């Protein structure tokens, strides 16, 4: 499978090391959503509990060799779904290929994700400001794919109190961050009640990482 070269002028730099690739996943979006449906039949979306004991409003699942989980013991990656004890479903090759190509378009060659977090946002759902810091190798970027209902992504800096920007992420948009921006704070503002032809009232997000 080949993707057309992504035009340089369609790449929006957010900060050194971070960029937004508008529409990068648009063509593959229906395939991705179909795969999400199948994957979450095997490893259902669920509301994880934070170490502080709160139920996360975003529903999550995973595919790939490692999956991100949270419970009262903390945040970590596991090879198996704690609900079923079975390994997380394999990452479809269309997923890893897209992540590798998006990372390359953002300047990160040879990205090979071993973890894909599947997030589902319903209207009113938000994800508070956080860093992705449970991965072993911080030289590898994060690749984040937006599908369905439009969201407002909150993009901050290296410190929690740094100024934040709100970016509109639409169906098919991809954000990549690494290098000097790898540990930047980010989150998702409360999802508005809206509708998308392919996802109804939901937004899905795929976050690809090299976790192990
Ligand atoms: C995340 O930070 O894990 C998800 C970001 C998003 O949903 O855009
Ligand atoms: Fe994150």
């Amino acid at each position: 499978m080949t993707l057309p070269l992504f035009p340089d002028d369609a790449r929006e730099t957010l900060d050194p090391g971070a960029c937004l690739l508008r529409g990068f996943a648009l063509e593959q979006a229906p395939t991705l959503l179909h795969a999400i449906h199948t994957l979450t039949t095997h490893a259902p979306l669920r509301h994880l509990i934070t170490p502080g004991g709160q139920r996360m409003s975003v529903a999550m699942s995973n595919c790939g060799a490692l999956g991100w989980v949270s419970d009262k013991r903390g945040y970590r990656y596991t090879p198996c779904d704690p609900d079923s004890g079975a390994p997380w479903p394999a990452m479809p090759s269309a997923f890893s290929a897209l992540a590798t190509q998006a990372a390359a378009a953002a300047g990160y060659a040879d990205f090979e994700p071993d973890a894909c977090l599947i997030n589902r946002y319903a209207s009113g759902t938000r994800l508070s400001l956080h860093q992705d810091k449970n991965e072993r190798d911080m030289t590898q970027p994060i690749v984040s794919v937006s599908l369905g209902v439009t969201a407002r992504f909150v993009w901050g800096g290296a410190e929690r109190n740094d100024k934040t920007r709100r970016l509109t992420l639409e169906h098919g948009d991809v954000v990549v961050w690494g290098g000097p921006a790898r540990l930047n704070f980010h989150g998702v503002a409360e999802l508005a009640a809206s509708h998308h032809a392919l996802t109804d009232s939901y937004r899905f997000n795929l976050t690809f990482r090299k976790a192990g």
Side-chain angles (χ1 to χ4, degrees):
M1 178 198 64
T2 52
L3 280 180
L5 273 178
F6 194 70
D8 275 355
D9 60 2
R11 191 170 60 204
E12 291 172 37
T13 300
L14 304 178
D15 270 316
C19 70
L20 168 50
L21 308 170
R22 289 223 182 262
F24 193 91
L26 197 52
E27 226 170 275
Q28 282 158 287
T31 307
L32 301 176
L33 286 165
H34 189 261
I36 289 171
H37 180 77
T38 306
L39 291 164
T40 56
T41 313
H42 296 284
L45 290 156
R46 79 290 307 264
H47 297 273
L48 297 169
I49 304 297
T50 67
Q54 277 181 324
R55 175 185 185 268
M56 295 184 72
S57 65
V58 181
M60 296 180 175
S61 185
N62 292 281
C63 65
L66 292 169
W68 185 86
V69 297
S70 172
D71 60 22
K72 285 198 172 158
R73 290 190 291 145
Y75 304 127
R76 64 194 174 282
Y77 283 94
T78 62
C80 293
D81 178 344
D83 283 3
S84 67
W88 295 107
M91 194 185 305
S93 56
F95 280 32
S96 43
L98 174 70
T100 302
Q101 285 160 354
Y108 298 99
D110 305 322
F111 176 55
E112 286 182 23
D114 57 10
C116 173
L117 175 64
I118 303 168
N119 289 316
R120 187 190 66 191
Y121 297 76
S123 68
T125 297
R126 61 189 286 276
L127 188 64
S128 54
L129 209 61
H130 67 279
Q131 296 168 293
D132 289 6
K133 57 178 185 187
N134 302 124
E135 301 73 31
R136 200 165 285 159
D137 183 358
M138 290 296 160
T139 69
Q140 296 303 300
I142 304 284
V143 174
S144 170
V145 178
S146 291
L147 299 165
V149 169
T150 299
R152 303 277 282 163
F153 187 60
V154 184
W155 177 250
E159 307 292 332
R160 182 172 287 281
N161 293 327
D162 284 349
K163 206 168 67 140
T164 59
R165 274 179 277 169
R166 289 183 175 218
L167 310 164
T168 300
L169 293 186
E170 288 174 8
H171 181 68
D173 289 351
V174 178
V175 185
V176 181
W177 64 96
R182 177 60 180 75
L183 287 171
N184 275 33
F185 279 85
H186 59 278
V188 178
E190 198 171 295
L191 195 75
S194 186
H195 179 267
H196 187 279
L198 298 182
T199 64
D200 201 357
S201 59
Y202 293 110
R203 170 184 188 252
F204 289 88
N205 166 265
L206 298 174
T207 301
F208 294 95
R209 302 163 177 151
K210 176 87 180 78

